[in-house]
Amino acid sequence: MSSPASCAAAPDSLLSTPPAADAASSGAFGTPALSRASCVVDVFDMHCAACAVTVEQALRDQPGVQSARVHYATQRAQISFDPAQVTLDSLLRCIERMGYSADAAGSENRAEIVRRQRHRRIWGFGLATFCAMQIMMLTLPRFLAGTDIEPELAPLLDWSALALVLPVMWWSARPFYQGAARELRLRRPGMDCAITLGTVTAFAGSVWHLLANTGALYFDSVAMFVALLLGVRWLEWEQRERNQAVIQQAAGAASRGQALRVQEGVDGVRMVPTDVDALQPGDRVWVRTGEAIPVDGRLDSEIALCDESLLTGESVSVRRQRGENVVAGAINLGAPITVRATATAATSTEQRLLLLADNATKPETLAFADIVARYFMPALLLLAIGTFVALLPAGVATATERAIAVLIISCPCALALAAPAAHARAFSGLLARGVVLRRASALERLARSNAFLLDKTGTLSDPAVARVSELRPGYPEQRALTVIAALEQAANHPLAVALRGAHAFDVVVTDADWQPGHGVSGRIAGRAYRFGRADYVGLNDECLRSDRRLWLADDEGAVCALDLSERLREDASALVKQLLASGQVELLSGDHPERAAAVARTLGIEVSEGSASPERKAARVQRLRQEGRIVVMIGDGVNDSVGFAGADVAIAVHGATDAAKASADLICESPGLLPVAEAVAYARRVVQVVRWNFGWAIAYNLLAIPFAIAGAVNPLVASVGMAGSSAIVLLNVMRLGGGREKFSDPAVAR
C-alpha cells in the first residue's frame, strides 16, 4: 500500500510540462504552474494480462487522466494527467481500491513491499501444500479401502480432511477471492472468477456431501488445486522480480555517463567533461544537437526544440524558451543549448522513467491474452451450467460433479500465462545479451522481419583520421589538431567522438555551433574558427571539395585539411551474413555513393545507396513496407531517427546518439554488432515459444473439457491437469534462458 513516504516522494517523480507564460513568472529554481504531469507507478500483485487491462481502464476512467499504460512485464504504470484535476495520491488510491498495492516508482518502500509480498506468497503456498499433503494421506486409505473401510474410521478421516482444508480456503485462497471480487466489481469476470467458482463449488459440494453422508468429497482436490496454482503464480512472480532487478541495474548503468559542464573563469568560458552523477543544482550544462539533457533544469539559451517522446510517448517536438523547465531524457533537436541544472541525476525525471518505455501498442499475443482473459470466463460459466442442466436427469450429484470438473479443468491459467510469461522472460534474456527492449510490441515484428536497412558510418564502420595535409606554413600541426578536437565538442557524430578521443585539448571555445552534415564553428582566444566541408568554411574552389577531406579555417583562410578514412567493424561481415540468411539487406548512407558501394561490395550487400538524406532513408523504409516487407532499420546517428520512426523495428547500435536511442525500439548497450543478430534470433525463439504455449493451452482445453463433461475425469484429476498445464507453459518459457548464448538461428543453420 502507499505510504506517506511514497506520497512525499511523488513530486520528484513527476514530469512537468509548464506553459511558457507560467514558466516566465517563475523563479530561477521555483516550480512553475503545471498544465500536465506524468508519473511512473509500481503496481504490485498483478498476476495476468487481464490485471494490467483492469488497472489501465480504471486509471483512464479517472477525471483528469489523459493516458495510462500498464506494463505487465515490469509491473509498472505510466500515467499522464492534469494535476489541477487529479493528484498522484488519488491515482495510487484508485489502484489500491482495486485490490493492488501501488507506490511511486523509485520509492524506498519498494523493497519492503516486495519482502512482504514474498513472505505472503511463501506462507500461502507452504500452508496449502502442507494441508494438501496431509489431506492426501487421509484420503488415500478411503480410496484404497472403498466400502470395506470400518464405519467408525471413515467419518474421522473425512472430518479431519475438512479441518485441514479450512486454512487453505480461509487463508491460502484469499488472493483468488480478492481477484474475483475485483473482477466482478469491474464487471470483467476473468481467471480469478473461474478459480474461485471452481474451488468454492467443490468445497461447498464436499461439505454438503459430508453432512448428508452421501456422495464424493473433493477436499483433496481443492487443496491440491490451490497449492499448485499458488506455486505457479509464485514462480512467475519471482521471474518478474528478477526481470525488474535486471532492468533497474541496466537503468542505473544507462544513466551514468558524461556531460559538458560550462565553467566560467578568468580566461573565459569553457566546457569541462563531467560525470552526470556529479552534476549539482545550479551547474550549467552544454547539450549538443541530438543529445539527451542529462538532468532536470531550466533553459539558459534563448530557445530550444526538444523531443520528449522518451518520457511522454508523444512524438511531437516541444518548443522551449529561456527560463522554461526542461526535463532529463528530452532530446535536443535544435542548435546546442545551455541548461542550468535544478536537480541531480538521481532525482531527475529520466531516472524514474528510463526503460519503462512501452509507449507503443501492445504486442499481438498480449492483446490476445487480454481477450482470452476477458471473454473466456463467461463462455466457461455457460458451459458449466449447460453441463449441469444436461446431466440433471442422471442425478444432482453427477451433474454437480461434472460441472465442477469442467470449471476446474478448463481454468484459463495456461492461456493467460502463455504470452506474458514469455515476454517477461524475453526482457531479461535480451538484457543479458546487451540489448534493451524499449517497446514490447517490437519483439514480434522483429521475429517476422525480412528486410534490414543498415547505416554505414558509425554502424558498420568507424571513422579514422589518416593525416593532416595542406598545413599553413608556420602553423603547428598539433595546434591544428587541438583546435579541431576542441571545436568538435559541440558536435555529436562518430567522427567528432573519434577526434575528441584521439587528441587532448585545453583551449576554451566560445560561441560554439554545429551544423549537422556541414561542420562546427566557434571562437578560440578571440579568433573565429570553422571546421567542416570546404564550402562551409568558406573555400569555394571546386577543386578543394572532397568527401574524403575536411578543412579547418580561421579569419585568415585555410589552416589545414584533414584527410579521412574509415575501417569496418570487426563483426560487420558476420552481422551481414546472418541478416542475409533472414531476409533482404540494404545499405543506406549519407556518405559518397562510391564509398557506400565499396563497403557494400566488401560485405556482400547487393543494394546500396549513398548521399542518402534522412528523408530519403525514410522514403526507402516506406517503399519496402508498401511492398509487404517487415523492415528493420539499424543505425546510430541523428540522421537515422527519421527513418527509425517509419520502420517496423528500429535498432540503435552501441554508441548511438541519444536522438537515435529515443526513436529506437531496441538499444544495443553491448559493444559490437553481433547483439543485433542475437536479438533477431532470440525474438524468433520467444515468438515460437509463445505460439507453442498458445497451441498447447488451446489444445489442452479442447481435449480436457469433453473428458470432464463425459465424466472421464473427476475434480482431483482436473485440478492436477489444470495446474500441470500451467506448469508446462512456464517450463517451456524457461527454455528461453536468461543468459547470453551462442548465436543460433535456424535460418542461418540452413
Side-chain angles (χ1 to χ4, degrees):
M1 305 295 285
S2 65
S3 65
S6 68
C7 293
D12 288 338
S13 67
L14 297 180
L15 165 64
S16 59
T17 307
D22 294 334
S25 62
S26 304
F29 299 100
T31 301
L34 299 177
S35 63
R36 175 187 176 133
S38 295
C39 67
V40 176
V41 174
D42 284 321
V43 183
F44 303 93
D45 300 323
M46 293 193 299
H47 56 262
C48 66
C51 293
V53 174
T54 299
V55 175
E56 268 187 15
Q57 189 59 52
L59 289 172
R60 290 172 180 170
D61 291 341
Q62 294 297 301
V65 173
Q66 297 162 344
S67 67
R69 169 70 69 194
V70 179
H71 193 192
Y72 173 72
T74 57
Q75 299 284 286
R76 282 186 167 183
Q78 185 178 20
I79 313 167
S80 295
F81 60 95
D82 182 357
Q85 300 183 55
V86 65
T87 64
L88 178 60
D89 287 346
S90 62
L91 293 175
L92 293 176
R93 287 194 296 270
C94 169
I95 297 173
E96 290 164 359
R97 283 196 300 270
M98 292 184 292
Y100 301 98
S101 301
D103 207 349
S107 169
E108 297 177 355
N109 299 327
R110 191 182 195 284
E112 177 60 24
I113 294 174
V114 170
R115 187 193 67 80
R116 290 200 304 265
Q117 283 197 330
R118 180 175 284 111
H119 186 266
R120 185 175 69 246
R121 290 175 184 276
I122 291 174
W123 274 99
F125 170 70
L127 177 63
T129 302
F130 174 79
C131 291
M133 293 171 62
Q134 300 306 310
I135 295 172
M136 288 296 295
M137 292 177 62
L138 297 173
T139 307
L140 185 60
R142 295 279 273 127
F143 284 146
L144 295 177
T147 57
D148 296 334
I149 193 170
E150 298 182 9
E152 63 274 9
L153 182 59
L156 177 62
L157 295 176
D158 293 341
W159 283 96
S160 298
L162 172 62
L164 286 169
V165 83
L166 285 176
V168 178
M169 295 296 296
W170 174 73
W171 172 256
S172 295
R174 184 177 297 181
F176 307 128
Y177 306 151
Q178 294 171 341
R182 182 168 54 240
E183 291 170 354
L184 292 175
R185 186 169 61 251
L186 297 172
R187 298 179 181 178
R188 289 175 176 269
M191 185 170 57
D192 282 330
C193 282
I195 295 170
T196 300
L197 183 62
T199 54
V200 171
T201 304
F203 174 75
S206 299
V207 172
W208 172 259
H209 289 161
L210 178 60
L211 294 175
N213 195 26
T214 181
L217 306 181
Y218 307 120
F219 295 137
D220 49 355
S221 302
V222 170
M224 180 178 294
F225 174 51
V226 172
L228 290 174
L229 190 55
L230 286 175
V232 169
R233 288 193 176 182
W234 181 25
L235 288 175
E236 189 200 3
W237 180 84
E238 290 288 355
Q239 179 61 53
R240 289 202 307 267
E241 284 304 309
R242 284 194 292 270
N243 293 347
Q244 184 69 21
V246 175
I247 288 172
Q248 291 297 335
Q249 182 180 2
S255 66
R256 292 190 294 269
Q258 283 200 330
L260 289 177
R261 182 168 57 86
V262 179
Q263 184 177 25
E264 300 181 7
V266 294
D267 56 346
V269 179
R270 61 186 304 179
M271 294 176 287
V272 181
T274 306
D275 289 340
V276 172
D277 291 337
L279 293 175
Q280 297 297 320
D283 287 346
R284 295 177 65 212
V285 183
W286 172 271
V287 184
R288 307 178 182 99
T289 303
E291 194 171 56
I293 298 172
V295 292
D296 291 345
R298 292 291 181 85
L299 184 62
D300 258 8
S301 302
E302 288 295 331
I303 198 168
L305 190 63
C306 297
D307 175 6
E308 297 178 355
S309 60
L310 179 65
L311 310 176
T312 66
E314 298 180 1
S315 58
V316 179
S317 301
V318 180
R319 186 183 180 91
R320 300 294 183 199
Q321 296 179 354
R322 182 189 294 274
E324 285 195 63
N325 275 9
V326 290
V327 292
I331 308 299
N332 175 28
L333 298 179
I337 59 175
T338 303
V339 173
R340 188 175 294 275
T342 58
T344 63
T347 58
S348 289
T349 305
E350 184 189 34
Q351 187 69 15
R352 287 164 177 75
L353 302 186
L354 192 64
L355 294 177
L356 175 73
D358 192 29
N359 297 317
T361 55
K362 286 190 175 181
E364 296 174 4
T365 49
L366 287 180
F368 178 70
D370 293 345
I371 295 172
V372 168
R374 185 177 302 177
Y375 297 111
F376 188 85
M377 179 59 194
L380 176 61
L381 285 174
L382 290 176
L383 182 61
I385 293 172
T387 301
F388 179 81
V389 173
L391 294 175
L392 269 179
V396 175
T398 300
T400 302
E401 178 178 339
R402 296 192 186 179
I404 292 172
V406 169
L407 288 172
I408 294 176
I409 204 168
S410 59
C411 181
C413 297
L415 277 169
L417 288 174
H423 279 271
R425 187 70 168 176
F427 271 83
S428 60
L430 286 171
L431 282 171
R433 290 159 174 79
V435 179
V436 176
L437 177 62
R438 289 191 57 232
R439 297 184 179 93
S441 58
L443 193 68
E444 294 166 20
R445 295 194 299 270
L446 183 62
R448 303 196 308 269
S449 59
N450 53 18
F452 303 89
L453 303 184
L454 299 171
D455 177 46
K456 183 176 71 68
T457 306
T459 302
L460 296 176
S461 64
D462 292 318
V465 178
R467 62 187 180 87
V468 173
S469 61
E470 307 292 341
L471 184 63
R472 178 189 297 173
Y475 202 102
E477 179 177 327
Q478 187 58 43
R479 170 66 179 177
L481 292 173
T482 298
V483 170
I484 291 172
L487 290 173
E488 287 289 358
Q489 285 185 99
N492 188 20
H493 58 77
L495 177 60
V497 174
L499 289 171
R500 291 196 301 265
H503 304 287
F505 54 92
D506 56 0
V507 297
V508 178
V509 180
T510 59
D511 300 329
D513 186 33
W514 175 40
Q515 299 293 326
H518 298 283
V520 292
S521 63
R523 303 187 70 88
I524 298 176
R527 181 180 291 267
Y529 285 93
R530 282 178 172 255
F531 175 69
R533 298 182 182 273
D535 53 350
Y536 175 76
V537 303
L539 304 178
N540 297 318
D541 192 339
E542 289 290 338
C543 65
L544 298 179
R545 298 183 183 183
S546 170
D547 288 318
R548 288 185 176 273
R549 174 171 287 187
L550 299 178
W551 291 84
L552 174 66
D554 60 11
D555 297 333
E556 300 177 7
V559 174
C560 71
L562 209 59
D563 295 327
L564 305 178
S565 64
E566 62 182 345
R567 55 179 178 271
L568 288 177
R569 292 190 173 183
E570 293 181 357
D571 47 5
S573 179
L575 170 67
V576 171
K577 288 180 181 178
Q578 291 160 0
L579 294 181
L580 282 171
S582 303
Q584 176 180 340
V585 179
E586 297 184 10
L587 188 148
L588 298 180
S589 175
D591 206 347
H592 193 277
E594 292 183 1
R595 289 213 297 276
V599 171
R601 286 194 299 271
T602 302
L603 296 176
I605 301 175
E606 295 183 0
V607 180
S608 67
E609 182 177 351
S611 299
S613 64
E615 292 74 19
R616 288 177 61 182
K617 291 184 178 183
R620 182 56 183 165
V621 169
Q622 291 304 318
R623 284 197 299 272
L624 287 173
R625 294 189 66 187
Q626 290 170 2
E627 294 172 4
R629 300 275 187 171
I630 307 297
V631 181
V632 177
M633 186 167 181
I634 305 168
D636 74 305
V638 177
N639 60 342
D640 296 317
S641 57
V642 178
F644 275 11
D648 293 290
V649 182
I651 303 178
V653 300
H654 178 69
T657 63
D658 294 322
K661 290 180 180 180
S663 304
D665 299 299
L666 293 91
I667 302 173
C668 295
E669 296 292 347
S670 293
L673 296 174
L674 285 184
V676 175
E678 292 177 347
V680 175
Y682 190 73
R684 289 177 176 167
R685 289 184 56 200
V686 171
V687 171
Q688 287 175 355
V689 166
V690 170
R691 290 173 179 170
W692 192 96
N693 283 348
F694 274 130
W696 159 255
I698 293 172
Y700 161 77
N701 279 281
L702 292 177
L703 291 173
I705 290 176
F707 280 101
I709 295 174
V713 294
N714 59 31
L716 172 61
V717 177
S719 65
V720 175
M722 186 284 307
S725 67
S726 299
I728 289 173
V729 165
L730 289 179
L731 289 173
N732 191 40
V733 169
M734 298 300 288
R735 293 193 301 111
L736 289 172
R740 188 165 187 171
E741 303 166 2
K742 185 177 180 181
F743 176 87
S744 60
D745 189 340
V748 175
R750 289 194 300 269

